[in-house]
Amino acid sequence: MDWNCNETSINIPYTVGDLKSLLDTLCSKENSFSQYDFVNWCDNLTMVFDNDEGTELDENDSMAFTIARDIECQ
């Protein structure tokens, strides 16, 4: 499916595992991307989750969605 994604310099898939990796990178201050790019990536992740109809979110996916939504809303 084609989403109308935000531009971001972060070119990795929109998955829960990649969200965790990006958060780890930010927490250890090893990021090579801006906070703006991270916010856009999180917004894109929430759009992917929202548009992935027919897929039931498990507890981890639901928590990741909530975290990503909080980040993009801040």
Side-chain angles (χ1 to χ4, degrees), residues 10-45:
I10 304 170
N11 294 317
I12 59 174
Y14 299 108
T15 66
V16 172
D18 288 318
L19 174 61
K20 290 178 186 178
S21 294
L22 290 172
L23 288 168
D24 285 341
T25 300
L26 284 167
C27 288
S28 63
K29 298 181 181 180
E30 297 174 354
N31 56 304
S32 61
F33 50 85
S34 69
Q35 290 180 343
Y36 181 76
D37 283 328
F38 181 60
V39 168
N40 282 341
W41 189 91
C42 287
D43 186 41
N44 293 344
L45 176 66

Side-chain angles (χ1 to χ4, degrees), residues 47-60:
M47 285 190 286
V48 169
F49 276 145
D50 278 342
N51 291 317
D52 198 9
E53 295 175 9
T55 302
E56 193 75 24
L57 296 180
D58 65 18
E59 186 176 335
N60 287 333

Side-chain angles (χ1 to χ4, degrees), residues 16 19 23 42 45-46 49-50 57-74:
V16 172
L19 174 61
L23 288 168
C42 287
L45 176 66
T46 61
F49 276 145
D50 278 342
L57 296 180
D58 65 18
E59 186 176 335
N60 287 333
D61 291 343
S62 182
M63 185 183 314
F65 177 82
T66 301
I67 291 168
R69 178 70 56 162
D70 285 348
I71 291 168
E72 62 101 356
C73 287
Q74 298 279 335

